[in-house]
Amino acid sequence: MASSTLISDTQPWKELKAHVDEIKKTHLRDLLGDVKRCESMAVEFDGILLDYSRQQATLETVNKLFKLAEAASLKQKINSMYNGEHINSTENRSVLHVALRAPRDAVIHSDGKNVVPEVWKVLDKIQEFSERVRSGSWVGATGKALKDVVAVGIGGSFLGPLFVHTALQTDPEAIESARGRQLRFLANVDPIDVARNITGLNPETTLVVVVSKTFTTAETMLNARTLREWISSSLGLSAVAKHMVAVSTNLTLVEKFGIDPNNAFAFWDWVGGRYSVCSAVGVLPLSLQYGFSVTEKFLKGASSIDQHTRSEPFERNIPVLLGLFSIWNVSFLGYPARAILPYSQALEKLAPHIQQVSMESNGKGVSIDGVPLPFEAGEIDFGEPGTNGQHSFYQLIHQGRIIPCDFIGVVKSQQPVYLKGEVVSNHDELMSNFFAQSDALANGKTPKELQNENVAPHLIPHKTFSGNRPSLSLLLPSLNAYNIGQLLAIYEHRVAVEGFIWGINSFDQWGVELGKSLASQVRKQLNASRTKGEPVEGFNFSTSRMLKRYLKASADVPADLPTHLPQI
């Protein structure tokens, strides 16, 4: 499927490059005055509205982007992913996170085998197990029901499930389902994170879910051993089998760790970590907290976008449109960053999750064939819920660097409040900012307008807003489990679309390996210096100096560090 031809060598790419000068002569203030243009720059699907009329683009730009998608064989590449072809060529794997939320009767092949029955076998096992725990038929070592869950994982085994959990916490249906239960996520190897996660919990009523495909991830396994010590020191080593389960494919190491292999939940090599929320990685802890029925609605929401992405023409295809405009902003207009701005506090963990999905996927410098890219690919993603972000980094967005923005709004609040005597409800106040900010970025404010407002001349340069700053708006009907699944899948597919057009492999992550390798060398040195007094050797001068300083400064710490866990 891969071609050695770079997308930047194609005629549509060159035409878009030439088109940039024409766009720079326009201003969004004028483009928004074109009603016909604005009418055509909106797409609706299943109650979700995408408005991209505040992009620095004309109808001609959009048509040129569609031609670029055609030159990149985008439709064929999307189909290749859904057909289970090994599009992750550097690891020789299929990319089938869409199979994780496919209907039970769907047929999706990998290596000639329909994987959907395997997926549902695990989902059925999760449903059965989570219902046993939630009903109290599965109890801990002392006979008490397990009301609290700590999920131990890092990266894709943490950020996605945390995003969904945070978004569900204030949904009325989810609240009712989770009553009396707690779900916490332990990721950082920093012992402070351990202390925070076990504070207030009782080992007798806690279930630990260890998430590691290979059961060798350094940070995850150290945290898992730490919580195993927390449980066994209180309840005895035999209690581990009742208080710890695994999401892993390495049953040998799971059993060696002390977890019953029957309580291990599988996932597959064709699921990348950052795309694994809909596997046992996310579904198990979420089902333990909210019940399988709520979690299944989340899966169905994601599946609805999977079907939309594959079947809808590009003109009405939300992830495709989002991906094309990301490429336009990054590779043609030269804007390297993107702000993700959800006007819902429930979505406070969306941006951290998308940071990984996007930046780990598309942070590449070579094509899928290993050819260095002569253009910039990938985006710098960051964000914060509105209106918090308005009092933080919006200053730069309005009057500093140009950063394209994703505004995400919700029609119906999870927790509506309308105080007597107030002009609008609390949610209306929030959404007033959602609607205003995108217009403020697009239109700006001119010196002439400021003069007409009798602004002091010396303040006019400071109060001028250039405008012409692109954004797009996604408006969701509500924020229930189904909508949360839709939002997740929209961003997953957007990232894939970008990678398909840039011609990179969005599904490997070799860039994270080097630091891990070097950390292993440092770990060995620290052990040798602390236990045998060996000198620091084999590092450059700067690292050696810092290591020596660290070892010397921490020499006063007792050799036999306390084995009990800290309490805060």
Side-chain angles (χ1 to χ4, degrees):
M1 182 187 71
S3 168
S4 58
T5 302
L6 293 170
I7 189 64
S8 54
D9 294 332
T10 65
Q11 189 60 31
W13 184 282
K14 294 173 182 176
E15 290 180 5
L16 279 163
K17 275 291 186 185
H19 182 61
V20 169
D21 287 338
E22 183 180 342
I23 288 299
K24 286 185 175 178
K25 296 174 186 176
T26 66
H27 195 288
L28 276 168
R29 196 181 300 121
D30 300 316
L31 292 175
L32 287 170
D34 184 342
V35 175
K36 183 180 178 182
R37 169 190 172 276
C38 294
E39 282 180 341
S40 66
M41 289 187 164
V43 174
E44 189 166 357
F45 168 72
D46 200 12
I48 300 172
L49 175 66
L50 166 65
D51 186 319
Y52 57 95
S53 61
R54 293 176 185 81
Q55 289 290 308
Q56 288 176 292
T58 62
L59 297 180
E60 182 184 0
T61 315
V62 177
N63 288 330
K64 289 181 182 295
L65 287 170
F66 288 146
K67 289 179 181 177
L68 182 69
E70 187 178 340
S73 302
L74 177 60
K75 183 65 176 176
Q76 294 93 314
K77 290 177 180 178
I78 290 173
N79 285 335
S80 294
M81 179 174 73
Y82 282 75
N83 291 336
E85 295 179 30
H86 285 209
I87 63 172
N88 180 356
S89 56
T90 64
E91 297 178 301
N92 195 27
R93 293 174 181 171
S94 302
V95 176
L96 283 177
H97 46 279
V98 295
L100 299 173
R101 54 259 189 152
R104 194 183 289 268
D105 59 355
V107 178
I108 300 176
H109 286 100
S110 178
D111 298 321
K113 181 181 180 182
N114 180 16
V115 300
V116 176
E118 293 181 26
V119 169
W120 275 94
K121 183 178 179 181
V122 174
L123 290 176
D124 289 339
K125 183 178 178 180
I126 290 172
Q127 181 177 15
E128 187 269 341
F129 178 74
S130 61
E131 287 178 354
R132 286 177 66 195
V133 172
R134 288 169 55 83
S135 68
S137 64
W138 175 290
V139 293
T142 61
K144 293 184 178 180
L146 302 177
K147 297 290 187 181
D148 306 311
V149 173
V150 179
V152 183
I154 198 164
S157 300
F158 155 68
L159 291 164
L162 177 63
F163 150 61
V164 179
H165 168 54
T166 306
L168 283 172
Q169 276 184 310
T170 40
D171 170 64
E173 181 185 11
I175 288 173
E176 190 60 35
S177 299
R179 199 169 299 280
R181 309 193 64 84
Q182 287 189 75
L183 172 59
R184 300 183 184 184
F185 290 89
L186 171 59
N188 201 329
V189 73
D190 187 337
I192 290 172
D193 204 18
V194 176
R196 286 177 173 175
N197 272 280
I198 64 173
T199 295
L201 297 186
N202 181 351
E204 291 184 276
T205 58
T206 301
L207 178 69
V208 176
V209 180
V210 183
V211 183
S212 175
K213 183 185 291 187
T214 62
F215 234 59
T216 60
T217 308
E219 300 95 331
T220 297
M221 296 318 299
L222 179 54
N223 278 335
R225 291 191 295 272
T226 305
L227 291 197
R228 181 178 63 184
E229 172 64 23
W230 177 63
I231 291 168
S232 60
S233 63
S234 175
L235 306 176
L237 193 58
S238 62
V240 170
K242 297 293 288 182
H243 289 265
M244 299 188 81
V245 298
V247 177
S248 179
T249 55
N250 193 334
L251 297 184
T252 301
L253 289 184
V254 166
E255 186 171 21
K256 186 177 179 181
F257 185 88
I259 294 174
D260 185 342
N262 292 319
N263 298 328
F265 299 81
F267 59 119
W268 304 270
D269 282 343
W270 41 259
V271 182
R274 56 196 176 276
Y275 297 98
S276 66
V277 192
C278 296
S279 72
V281 168
V283 174
L284 177 58
L286 292 169
S287 295
L288 287 165
Q289 177 69 6
Y290 298 107
F292 186 79
S293 62
V294 170
T295 309
E296 189 176 17
K297 291 175 183 176
F298 161 73
L299 296 176
K300 288 181 177 178
S303 181
S304 76
I305 297 297
D306 294 340
Q307 296 168 41
H308 167 80
T309 302
R310 188 177 191 183
S311 62
E312 281 295 323
F314 291 167
E315 293 83 359
R316 300 195 300 274
N317 195 309
I318 291 174
V320 168
L321 288 165
L322 293 177
L324 287 171
F325 277 107
S326 286
I327 288 165
W328 172 240
N329 287 322
V330 171
S331 298
F332 295 95
L333 297 181
Y335 306 142
R338 173 179 61 192
I340 299 171
L341 310 171
Y343 276 68
S344 170
Q345 193 64 30
L347 297 176
E348 64 178 302
K349 295 300 181 181
L350 173 64
H353 176 49
I354 300 307
Q355 279 179 337
Q356 188 199 16
V357 174
S358 173
M359 295 168 75
E360 192 169 86
S361 294
N362 291 340
K364 310 292 169 62
V366 298
S367 75
I368 199 164
D369 299 314
V371 179
L373 298 178
F375 55 85
E376 296 292 341
E379 290 160 312
I380 303 164
D381 289 280
F382 71 98
E384 184 74 17
T387 56
N388 296 5
Q390 294 173 201
H391 296 267
S392 175
F393 50 79
Y394 276 41
Q395 168 63 45
L396 184 145
I397 290 175
H398 278 289
Q399 291 184 307
R401 295 175 180 269
I402 295 180
I403 299 176
C405 298
D406 291 358
F407 288 98
I408 303 168
V410 181
V411 173
K412 184 179 178 182
S413 174
Q414 289 179 331
Q415 297 291 325
V417 174
Y418 197 160
L419 298 179
K420 185 177 180 180
E422 294 290 340
V423 177
V424 294
S425 69
N426 293 36
H427 187 65
D428 278 352
E429 178 66 26
L430 174 72
M431 292 300 290
S432 295
N433 287 272
F434 167 83
F435 293 113
Q437 288 293 334
S438 55
D439 273 345
L441 286 167
N443 293 318
K445 196 158 192 175
T446 66
K448 186 174 182 180
E449 289 173 319
L450 293 166
Q451 288 172 359
N452 292 338
E453 293 175 6
N454 296 317
V455 172
H458 72 282
L459 289 178
I460 286 178
H462 302 282
K463 293 193 172 187
T464 296
F465 291 76
S466 64
N468 206 32
R469 293 163 185 261
S471 69
L472 55 85
S473 300
L474 267 174
L475 190 60
L476 307 180
S478 59
L479 200 58
N480 53 31
Y482 182 83
N483 301 134
I484 294 164
Q486 289 183 308
L487 185 60
L488 171 81
I490 284 171
Y491 272 92
E492 287 180 344
H493 287 299
R494 176 195 206 163
V495 167
V497 166
E498 292 174 53
F500 287 149
I501 294 178
W502 276 320
I504 60 180
N505 186 354
S506 299
F507 308 106
D508 63 10
Q509 57 281 333
W510 300 107
V512 306
E513 299 300 324
L514 180 58
K516 290 182 180 179
S517 174
L518 295 178
S520 178
Q521 297 176 33
V522 175
R523 188 184 304 118
K524 291 176 182 176
Q525 178 67 66
L526 289 173
N527 178 264
S529 296
R530 290 199 189 279
T531 61
K532 302 175 185 176
E534 292 185 8
V536 173
E537 293 178 337
F539 300 91
N540 62 52
F541 175 81
S542 296
T543 302
S544 296
R545 178 173 57 189
M546 286 191 290
L547 276 170
K548 291 173 184 176
R549 174 67 176 269
Y550 175 69
L551 285 163
K552 182 179 179 181
S554 58
D556 292 336
V557 177
D560 52 339
L561 291 167
T563 56
H564 66 274
L565 294 172
Q567 297 295 319
I568 58 173

